Amino acid sequence: QVQPVESGGGSVQAGGSLRLSCAASVDPDHRWCMGWFRQAPGKEREGVATINFNGITTYADSVKGRFTISKDNAKNTLTLQMNSLKPEDTAMYYCALDAALVWVGCGAPANRYKYWGQGTQVTVSS
């Protein structure tokens, strides 16, 4: 059973940085999509960034140039480096994985992802 575990959330002032990590042991023989999603109060869960088994990444327009997703296969770790944070980045951030999206693409909606972490809160104050 794949169980992602996030860490690294917290509170920061606008313009600051945070680094989120997600630990998940996965079968390297599968073509995993891995991604970060976020959900603010009263809003739907949205995709932030994804990375596929080949290291190809996608980003939401709102975070391009500020956030960077990466993975370390040897350490079974997914990372989201968040720079130049804005108050509108405040949300619960979730790590998600799926091994069946190779034909759809890792930029698929959140409801297509099978494995989810519990989330880590990110709060950005102005």
Side-chain angles (χ1 to χ4, degrees), residues 59-81:
Y59 293 93
D61 288 342
S62 59
V63 306
K64 283 181 180 177
R66 301 188 297 121
F67 291 10
T68 302
I69 189 172
S70 61
K71 64 186 177 81
D72 186 329
N73 293 329
K75 296 182 179 180
N76 291 318
T77 301
L78 179 71
T79 299
L80 184 69
Q81 178 67 43

Side-chain angles (χ1 to χ4, degrees), residues 34-54:
M34 299 180 177
W36 289 96
F37 296 78
R38 66 187 181 187
Q39 188 166 18
K43 295 188 176 181
E44 293 187 355
R45 192 169 296 189
E46 63 175 357
V48 175
T50 69
I51 187 167
N52 76 354
F53 60 98
N54 277 335

Side-chain angles (χ1 to χ4, degrees), residues 1-121:
Q1 180 71 13
V2 177
Q3 181 57 61
V5 178
E6 303 97 336
S7 61
S11 297
V12 65
Q13 289 190 330
S17 298
L18 285 173
R19 186 179 181 91
L20 305 183
S21 294
C22 174
S25 295
V26 298
D27 183 343
D29 292 333
H30 292 136
R31 297 182 176 183
W32 291 93
C33 281
M34 299 180 177
W36 289 96
F37 296 78
R38 66 187 181 187
Q39 188 166 18
K43 295 188 176 181
E44 293 187 355
R45 192 169 296 189
E46 63 175 357
V48 175
T50 69
I51 187 167
N52 76 354
F53 60 98
N54 277 335
I56 297 173
T57 58
T58 68
Y59 293 93
D61 288 342
S62 59
V63 306
K64 283 181 180 177
R66 301 188 297 121
F67 291 10
T68 302
I69 189 172
S70 61
K71 64 186 177 81
D72 186 329
N73 293 329
K75 296 182 179 180
N76 291 318
T77 301
L78 179 71
T79 299
L80 184 69
Q81 178 67 43
M82 305 186 293
N83 298 328
S84 301
L85 283 161
K86 303 175 180 179
E88 51 263 44
D89 294 319
T90 295
M92 185 71 78
Y93 283 70
Y94 298 90
C95 170
L97 294 79
D98 197 283
L101 297 176
V102 61
W103 302 114
V104 177
C106 296
N111 61 9
R112 297 296 299 269
Y113 277 75
K114 182 175 181 179
Y115 302 105
W116 289 86
Q118 293 299 308
T120 185
Q121 179 67 36

